[in-house]
Amino acid sequence: MTATERSVELVNAAAQAAADRLAHDIIAYDVSDVLSITDAFLIASAPNDRQVKSIVDEIEERLLKELGAKPVRREGDRDARWILLDYVDIVVHVQHSEERVFYALERLWKDCPELSLPEDAVKTRGKGKEHAELTGGADGELS
């Protein structure tokens, strides 16, 4: 089984929205073969809580406006360290950079096929590490 066209459409719109809000290290996985609850995961990060919220708000607004999609669940707003948007077809994870490194979702899903993303989203790869080096922050390694 592979992600549906609708799921891919949602992932691409969400990835572009995240890139437009300067998210780091945007990646998406087709998890449809290993999970029955969703087709795809989109993962993105940002260096601070305010930017995490901004990215999530933009994704939510864009998916509603362009595709008529509303999340059935939004979790993690209070601390804005890891906000999850559940659209049933896809689940979006926007994490603070420190949580991204600590929880390493990529390691959990690395055996799943990676989904193609818009060019702007692909260009965000390595931005977390670059930002950490420039600001003297945590290591920022994503594998």
Side-chain angles (χ1 to χ4, degrees):
M1 184 181 218
T2 59
T4 65
E5 282 184 38
R6 174 70 172 168
S7 298
V8 171
E9 183 179 38
L10 289 167
V11 162
N12 283 316
Q16 185 62 54
D20 289 349
R21 288 288 182 211
L22 307 177
H24 296 168
D25 303 302
I26 302 168
I27 193 164
Y29 294 101
D30 180 339
V31 296
S32 60
D33 282 342
V34 293
L35 290 177
S36 61
I37 58 170
T38 193
D39 282 350
F41 279 168
L42 178 74
I43 305 167
S45 53
N48 61 62
D49 303 352
R50 188 169 41 192
Q51 192 173 357
V52 167
K53 281 187 177 185
S54 175
I55 292 164
V56 168
D57 289 345
E58 182 66 19
I59 291 170
E60 211 170 357
E61 185 178 311
R62 183 95 45 104
L63 267 54
L64 180 60
K65 187 177 183 180
E66 293 179 5
L67 302 170
K70 291 175 85 172
V72 296
R73 185 175 11 269
R74 179 175 169 153
E75 295 180 11
D77 266 332
R78 194 173 72 167
D79 295 330
R81 301 289 291 183
W82 180 351
I83 299 178
L84 179 142
L85 295 173
D86 182 353
Y87 285 90
V88 180
D89 293 326
I90 70 167
V91 175
V92 177
H93 302 268
V94 182
Q95 298 175 299
H96 188 288
S97 299
E98 292 170 0
E99 267 65 15
R100 178 89 178 256
V101 171
F102 183 79
Y103 290 102
L105 294 179
E106 287 89 347
R107 283 193 217 135
L108 290 174
W109 305 109
K110 69 181 180 208
D111 294 333
C112 294
E114 199 175 311
L115 293 170
S116 296
L117 296 175
E119 187 177 332
D120 290 343
V122 173
K123 287 180 183 176
T124 67
R125 306 279 171 89
K127 293 289 185 185
K129 183 177 181 179
E130 187 179 299
H131 183 270
E133 289 170 355
L134 288 173
T135 60
D139 162 356
E141 285 287 325
L142 297 176
S143 320

